[in-house]
Amino acid sequence: MSLPLVYLVITALAALLLLALLVRGGLARPMTVWGLTALLPLLVALSVALGSQARAEVTLKTYRPQSAAVVITTGGQEYDAVLTAGQAACLERSRRLRTDADLVLGEGRDPIPLRSGFKVTGELPTQAQVEALSVRGQLACPEFRHVEQTK
């Protein structure tokens, strides 16, 4: 039995116990009811977090990190870039979330402005893979500098 399933069963049992105590008033002390009520959100959060981690692990089993040669079109200009697997994943996330950022690929190179609506030609990781990397804490984007949107 997997850990997320164990927490889900414990959560369901705690909810049933609380329901039984509430239906049959007088069986439990107030602190018992309060304790079970306080414990339920924690158990639900743990169940969801562990389930998300398990799904991310399954998704990443088929993920093979590799560098990517891409062409980024933004503001009417095209930029050629060879990205590491991590940079490609961050670029996919930035494109999907439509965030404004500057991609700094190294000393002496001008940053690539990634503005809303930029387009990417080339192979990037899938959305599911990028989300799984985020959930697992394996997505770091130090080359991406957030840019405030001006209105």
Side-chain angles (χ1 to χ4, degrees):
M1 190 180 267
S2 68
L3 196 56
L5 186 58
V6 169
Y7 273 98
L8 190 59
V9 169
I10 291 171
T11 303
L13 290 175
L16 288 174
L17 179 60
L18 180 61
L19 183 63
L21 292 175
L22 291 174
V23 169
R24 306 273 311 199
L27 283 180
R29 295 180 181 176
M31 288 305 288
T32 303
V33 173
W34 181 88
L36 280 172
T37 304
L39 183 63
L40 276 174
L42 178 64
L43 289 173
V44 169
L46 282 171
S47 298
V48 170
L50 290 171
S52 296
Q53 288 285 333
R55 282 189 302 280
E57 186 176 329
V58 168
T59 300
L60 291 177
K61 281 187 180 184
T62 60
Y63 174 62
R64 300 291 174 252
Q66 58 188 11
S67 61
V70 297
V71 177
I72 302 168
T73 307
T74 180
Q77 289 188 303
E78 288 187 349
Y79 299 89
D80 293 329
V82 177
L83 306 175
T84 65
Q87 291 168 339
C90 291
L91 183 62
E92 161 25 52
R93 181 178 68 178
S94 182
R95 182 176 55 92
R96 181 173 37 89
L97 297 178
R98 301 173 198 255
T99 57
D100 287 346
D102 286 337
L103 173 57
V104 181
L105 291 176
E107 297 292 323
R109 288 189 66 179
D110 289 337
I112 299 172
L114 305 174
R115 300 301 179 262
S116 184
F118 72 90
K119 302 212 181 316
V120 178
T121 305
E123 191 72 27
L124 294 177
T126 66
Q127 177 179 342
Q129 291 168 333
V130 173
E131 289 173 352
L133 288 168
S134 294
V135 166
R136 300 285 295 177
Q138 298 173 346
L139 187 63
C141 304
E143 296 89 1
F144 287 74
R145 308 284 192 267
H146 178 71
V147 175
E148 291 292 325
Q149 294 180 352
T150 56
K151 293 186 179 184

